[in-house]
Amino acid sequence: MEQKTMIRDQLAAYLAEQGMSINQFAVRSGINSGTLSRIITGQQSIAMSHLELITEGMGKTQDFFYSLYVDECLYYSVPTWRRLRPFIMSCAALNRLDCIEQIVQTLLDNLTYAPMLFDTAEELFKLGQWQAAALLYENVSASEKYQYSERLAICQYRLFKIALGEDQNKNLRAAILFECYVYKLDEADQLDALKDLAHVFSSLHQWDKVEEISENLCRIATLQYELSIHSNKKRETTRKSSRPVYGYILYSYLLRSLVFDEIGDYKTALYYVSKYADGTWIEDKSEEAVQLIGQFKEWATANSLLYRLMAGQREVLDDYVAFISTKEEEIYLAMLRILQAANKYSWNVDHILSRFEINTSYQVQTGYFGNHNQQMSADRHAGFLFELATYYLFHNLPDGIMFLLQSLKFCTRINSQSNIIKCVDMFEQYRYRATEEEEKQYKSLINEVRTQNDKKNVVVFPTTMQHVYLNN
């Protein structure tokens, strides 16, 4: 096999071509002339800092020599982490994943590099360089797949977080792949991981899974809390959860109230509301604890009214509207629930729709753990558009078909099959009210749905979808 040209050879050729001496290039590049001489003669390896100065001095793009530098680091000299780590970080910044993959696959022939690669992946993850981090996590995971270590579990947790996006089918696969690793995590990380899994399964409307996860979240958080308050020694953990442990206990009750709300068991939902409304058992009296308890009490007040409303008690509607009207960040979600109740019980809420400006743009809602994940926000937005369309169509208001097509378009974007079917079924019921232009938009969206399903080799469709595919 023909040996590749080395960077020092290209540098020497460049100096000859330009008629430059080593001293002249040393001045231009900022590298010590003695160091530069030793590099060219092969007496000294090229450090990453030297590579950057050489590349700039030659007027090349920053990653021009990266492929050759992989050979420099791995084959023409003894691999040293002191050179490889900054190179991996630079490759990540410039999206040279090809170089990272070549380095990682070679290094992991020696498992002593696994901890260093893992630490680098963690740093890249924090910096938001998720593609590069994922490549490292995947390779470290492969090297430890038979060890079931905590490091393996953390890799899988990070890969789960990185994999989440708008596509609901991909989110489901990511959740299923990660779920078996949760209990290998550090006990603090378990709490955040269970919370994240609950959010994904909530967005997929898999309420049995949400209930199971919320029960485990409550059990683990309660155990950790009791150990912390009864232990004479201060318990030390390598990682801390993003919120106080007792916050996860309250949040597990909130999740369970959500489950029973969604399945229509409002009595049980109200029971769990009472559980997270009560923070008197929390021994922490810090300002953070006071704020946290107050936040859950506020949610309990709102949700007590909401679940009574969803149970058909229209008399609480004005109280619910009055409560949420002062909380701008809650209005969007509240309007979704009001529309759900109105559509369920055939109520007229035109006065509420006219009171609050309808914003049909995609919004990320906030919560106790910061912004809700993208999946929950996307699912709620799809639901909001559908409920709005349903209300407009039922009450013979203009723009009902327009809102329905917006919902179908968004559901297609996030690949939400269950919501797509609901939109198609609704359109078929009210198709006679669609304009010619709306018919064209609908057929275009159906073709997009068909293309998505063809790519996944889907062959079984609900009856409604079969009808649509045959007639559009």
Side-chain angles (χ1 to χ4, degrees):
M1 181 182 294
E2 184 179 348
Q3 187 174 3
K4 291 182 179 179
T5 303
M6 298 176 69
I7 296 172
R8 58 177 53 88
D9 297 330
Q10 293 204 26
L11 175 57
Y14 174 81
L15 295 181
E17 182 183 305
Q18 298 294 318
M20 295 181 68
S21 67
I22 288 178
N23 286 336
Q24 287 174 321
F25 190 78
V27 172
R28 176 191 285 189
S29 63
I31 303 175
N32 177 274
S33 59
T35 300
L36 193 58
S37 178
R38 289 191 295 275
I39 287 174
I40 291 176
T41 58
Q43 300 175 55
Q44 180 172 331
S45 299
I46 304 175
M48 188 63 200
S49 58
H50 295 149
L51 178 67
E52 291 172 346
L53 293 173
I54 289 170
T55 304
E56 185 178 358
M58 292 175 66
K60 305 294 186 181
T61 58
Q62 189 175 348
D63 66 339
F64 183 81
F65 287 122
Y66 275 22
S67 295
L68 289 178
Y69 195 65
V70 174
D71 297 334
E72 294 272 354
C73 292
L74 296 179
Y75 309 121
Y76 299 147
S77 61
V78 177
T80 62
W81 189 245
R82 184 166 50 86
R83 282 202 297 159
L84 289 170
R85 184 194 167 280
F87 181 49
I88 291 173
M89 297 298 291
S90 294
C91 286
L94 296 176
N95 202 34
R96 287 300 301 269
L97 302 184
D98 57 323
C99 296
I100 295 177
E101 186 167 15
Q102 190 176 350
I103 289 173
V104 171
Q105 289 183 353
T106 302
L107 289 183
L108 284 176
D109 289 338
N110 181 348
L111 292 181
T112 58
Y113 283 104
M116 291 177 280
L117 289 169
F118 171 77
D119 290 341
T120 304
E122 290 284 81
E123 187 173 352
L124 289 170
F125 184 82
K126 291 176 183 176
L127 291 172
Q129 299 284 349
W130 281 15
Q131 281 188 300
L135 189 54
L136 296 181
Y137 287 131
E138 286 166 358
N139 281 277
V140 172
S141 294
S143 72
E144 300 198 356
K145 61 183 177 180
Y146 299 116
Q147 299 182 42
Y148 300 100
S149 64
E150 181 186 337
R151 185 161 58 224
L152 172 61
I154 294 174
C155 286
Q156 292 298 320
Y157 183 26
R158 301 288 188 259
L159 288 169
F160 162 68
K161 295 277 284 184
I162 292 169
L164 296 179
E166 288 189 341
D167 191 308
Q168 297 285 40
N169 285 339
K170 291 181 180 178
N171 295 336
L172 176 59
R173 287 196 295 272
I176 291 172
L177 287 172
F178 168 61
E179 192 176 4
C180 62
Y181 292 96
V182 171
Y183 302 105
K184 296 292 182 181
L185 289 168
D186 174 271
E187 58 186 25
D189 279 336
Q190 283 183 25
L191 301 179
D192 282 320
L194 288 168
K195 175 262 298 180
D196 292 335
L197 276 172
H199 287 175
V200 173
F201 284 118
S202 293
S203 71
L204 296 166
H205 296 206
Q206 295 199 9
W207 304 115
D208 55 340
K209 292 296 298 181
V210 179
E211 183 178 10
E212 175 191 334
I213 291 168
S214 61
E215 287 175 355
N216 287 333
L217 177 61
C218 184
R219 175 179 54 80
I220 294 170
T222 300
L223 178 61
Q224 289 187 31
Y225 180 71
E226 290 177 349
L227 286 173
S228 68
I229 62 176
H230 292 113
S231 175
N232 292 326
K233 290 184 177 182
K234 185 177 180 180
R235 302 179 74 240
E236 295 184 357
T237 57
T238 56
R239 300 177 186 87
K240 290 185 178 180
S241 52
S242 62
R243 293 290 188 273
V245 173
Y246 48 79
Y248 293 89
I249 300 174
L250 295 176
Y251 197 66
S252 72
Y253 296 143
L254 189 150
L255 285 171
R256 279 193 270 186
S257 72
L258 171 64
V259 169
F260 288 100
D261 165 35
E262 291 292 342
I263 64 177
D265 185 350
Y266 302 111
K267 181 178 179 181
T268 306
L270 286 166
Y271 165 75
Y272 283 111
V273 168
S274 69
K275 295 284 285 182
Y276 63 80
D278 177 22
T280 56
W281 51 272
I282 297 174
E283 295 191 4
D284 186 356
K285 305 303 177 186
S286 66
E287 182 178 348
E288 180 184 17
V290 171
Q291 290 179 349
L292 183 151
I293 293 168
Q295 178 66 85
F296 276 96
K297 282 185 176 179
E298 186 175 288
W299 286 333
T301 301
N303 288 336
S304 292
L305 292 170
L306 172 61
Y307 297 155
R308 290 173 61 194
L309 182 69
M310 296 306 297
Q313 299 179 31
R314 185 169 183 172
E315 63 271 17
V316 304
L317 178 59
D318 290 341
D319 290 338
Y320 182 61
V321 171
F323 183 86
I324 60 97
S325 63
T326 60
K327 307 184 186 307
E328 186 174 347
E329 71 281 0
E330 300 291 337
I331 291 175
Y332 180 83
L333 182 56
M335 289 302 297
L336 164 61
R337 302 313 306 272
I338 289 171
L339 284 167
Q340 286 177 333
N343 291 332
K344 182 178 181 180
Y345 299 109
S346 301
W347 294 342
N348 187 308
V349 292
D350 288 356
H351 63 293
I352 298 175
L353 293 175
S354 62
R355 176 175 175 178
F356 300 105
E357 182 180 353
I358 299 175
N359 184 355
T360 59
S361 61
Y362 180 32
Q363 303 174 49
V364 176
Q365 298 91 49
T366 59
Y368 169 60
F369 288 93
N371 285 345
H372 285 309
N373 71 6
Q374 185 180 12
Q375 297 70 49
M376 291 182 71
S377 294
D379 178 67
R380 287 172 175 173
H381 184 62
F384 176 79
L385 289 173
F386 179 78
E387 296 295 340
L388 187 62
T390 302
Y391 182 85
Y392 270 58
L393 289 169
F394 180 78
H395 291 276
N396 294 313
L397 297 173
D399 298 331
I401 294 292
M402 180 193 72
F403 288 131
L404 185 59
L405 291 174
Q406 287 182 13
S407 180
L408 178 57
K409 182 177 181 179
F410 188 78
C411 293
T412 303
R413 168 179 151 185
I414 66 175
N415 197 14
S416 177
Q417 293 293 317
S418 60
N419 283 318
I420 288 172
I421 292 170
K422 286 167 58 178
C423 289
V424 168
D425 184 57
M426 182 66 68
F427 187 89
E428 293 301 321
Q429 291 182 49
Y430 290 94
R431 190 170 197 150
Y432 66 94
R433 289 171 55 178
T435 65
E436 184 177 344
E437 178 59 31
E438 288 170 337
E439 281 273 10
K440 289 180 180 178
Q441 292 178 37
Y442 176 68
K443 289 181 179 180
S444 175
L445 289 169
I446 289 300
N447 284 332
E448 190 174 341
V449 173
R450 182 187 294 114
T451 300
Q452 284 185 355
N453 282 284
D454 287 345
K455 288 179 179 178
K456 292 180 293 185
N457 296 317
V458 176
V459 296
V460 178
F461 301 102
T463 303
T464 301
M465 293 301 291
Q466 290 179 12
H467 170 76
V468 171
Y469 280 19
L470 291 170
N471 291 279
N472 285 279

